[in-house]
Amino acid sequence: MNLWNMNTKNTKRLRLWLLPPQRAALLLAALLLACFATPAAAKHGVAIPVLNYHSIGVAPGNTYVLHPDTFARQMDYLAAHHYTPLTLDEFASVLSHKMPSPAHPVLLTFDDAYANNAEVALPILQQHNFPATLYVSTGLINTPGYLTWPQVKELSGAGWDIASHTVTHPHLPKLSKKAQREEIHAARAEIEQELGKPANTFAYPYGDYNRTTLRVLRKANFSYAFTTHPGWASSDQSPLELHRIVVDSQQPFEEWVQQLTKPTPQ
């Protein structure tokens, strides 16, 4: 009898004709499907989009200077679509499975310490009660166009995390081990002295690093470091080589949304 040609009236008879070997075959097929599906679902572990901003201002043609209206539109989008910007502690807890992830987590990071991060970005973020993280090149503080220490303290008091981006913003792989160590250690020490808080995460200037850089950070007990490798940060990545989405001011808004909602294959 052909079981696949039975009509609906004979459906109940299926159990009579379904012999043990056939049951085993169907169960085996179901198990195989489950086995093949599981790795795809868990392939990237916990993944969080980390947005990387620089200057929020007006400089047509400069990919690293995002117009304030565009930045405001992006933050409005996050709020309207129920994203939850995280603090660094929350980010670390979610990534290490110590706390459940909100439905739509995101980490907002700013590199270099431009003055407009406090003058322009902060008020926009405060409209939504969003925290952010600032990676400071300490040698730029108190120079034209960049933050002052009172402004950095204002950001810290407003809920921003402040961490190291070296002293002089060099291409680290071009430096000796000693020079890399001085750039990394001195920046962290100054931030911690000024703010009285630990600064145990790092962002690579220009996204550049080498094995020496990783050894210096590891020995100094930095917990996380961010690259400019495109894509979402993931628990499957090395904690000192986390990916970020560099926000390009020339990029159409729709592409920004796509990067935020669809992880880049890794």
Side-chain angles (χ1 to χ4, degrees):
M1 180 177 182
N2 187 346
L3 296 179
W4 305 111
N5 290 332
M6 293 172 61
N7 59 33
T8 54
K9 292 182 180 179
N10 293 324
T11 300
K12 292 182 180 179
R13 298 181 186 175
L14 180 60
R15 293 192 183 95
L16 298 175
W17 290 94
L18 196 57
L19 301 175
Q22 291 167 307
R23 284 184 184 274
L26 289 176
L27 286 172
L28 179 59
L31 288 171
L32 287 173
L33 285 172
C35 290
F36 281 115
T38 300
K43 184 176 180 181
H44 297 293
V46 177
I48 300 172
V50 180
L51 297 176
N52 177 206
Y53 294 96
H54 291 80
S55 177
I56 308 300
V58 181
N62 188 327
T63 60
Y64 293 106
V65 181
L66 188 68
H67 195 284
D69 292 346
T70 304
F71 181 69
R73 184 185 180 192
Q74 292 179 357
M75 297 305 103
D76 288 345
Y77 177 91
L78 295 181
H81 289 80
H82 309 292
Y83 278 82
T84 303
L86 304 173
T87 65
L88 274 180
D89 282 345
E90 291 168 341
F91 171 84
S93 294
V94 170
L95 207 65
S96 60
H97 306 277
K98 293 179 180 177
M99 67 174 278
S101 175
H104 302 293
V106 64
L107 183 68
L108 308 176
T109 66
F110 293 78
D111 285 6
D112 303 338
Y114 291 97
N116 54 39
N117 293 169
E119 298 162 357
V120 180
L122 175 61
I124 293 171
L125 292 175
Q126 286 179 322
Q127 292 176 15
H128 303 290
N129 197 30
F130 285 172
T133 298
L134 176 69
Y135 285 100
V136 178
S137 291
T138 55
L140 299 176
I141 299 296
N142 296 324
T143 64
Y146 292 91
L147 294 165
T148 63
W149 278 115
Q151 287 177 309
V152 174
K153 292 175 182 178
E154 177 190 5
L155 292 173
S156 179
W160 288 40
D161 292 300
I162 314 297
S164 174
H165 198 43
T166 71
V167 177
T168 66
H169 203 280
H171 289 276
L172 287 170
K174 296 182 178 180
L175 303 183
S176 66
K177 180 179 180 179
K178 179 181 178 182
Q180 288 199 43
R181 186 168 55 243
E182 290 173 351
E183 284 278 351
I184 292 167
H185 287 206
R188 178 168 71 175
E190 187 171 5
I191 292 167
E192 292 180 343
Q193 180 179 356
E194 289 286 343
L195 302 180
K197 300 177 181 180
N200 293 326
T201 69
F202 186 78
Y204 301 102
Y206 308 104
D208 285 353
Y209 63 97
N210 58 14
R211 291 180 182 178
T212 298
T213 320
L214 295 174
R215 284 194 293 268
V216 170
L217 291 173
R218 199 171 290 117
K219 189 172 182 179
N221 295 317
F222 279 84
S223 54
Y224 292 102
F226 291 97
T227 69
T228 54
H229 299 319
W232 292 22
S234 166
S235 57
D236 290 342
Q237 297 161 8
S238 163
L240 298 181
E241 297 179 272
L242 296 177
H243 296 196
R244 287 194 291 177
I245 300 167
V246 178
V247 179
D248 183 346
S249 68
Q250 307 302 301
Q251 184 179 46
F253 184 79
E254 293 73 20
E255 290 185 13
W256 175 83
V257 170
Q258 186 176 25
Q259 285 183 308
L260 185 65
T261 55
K262 295 182 179 179
T264 302
Q266 300 177 20

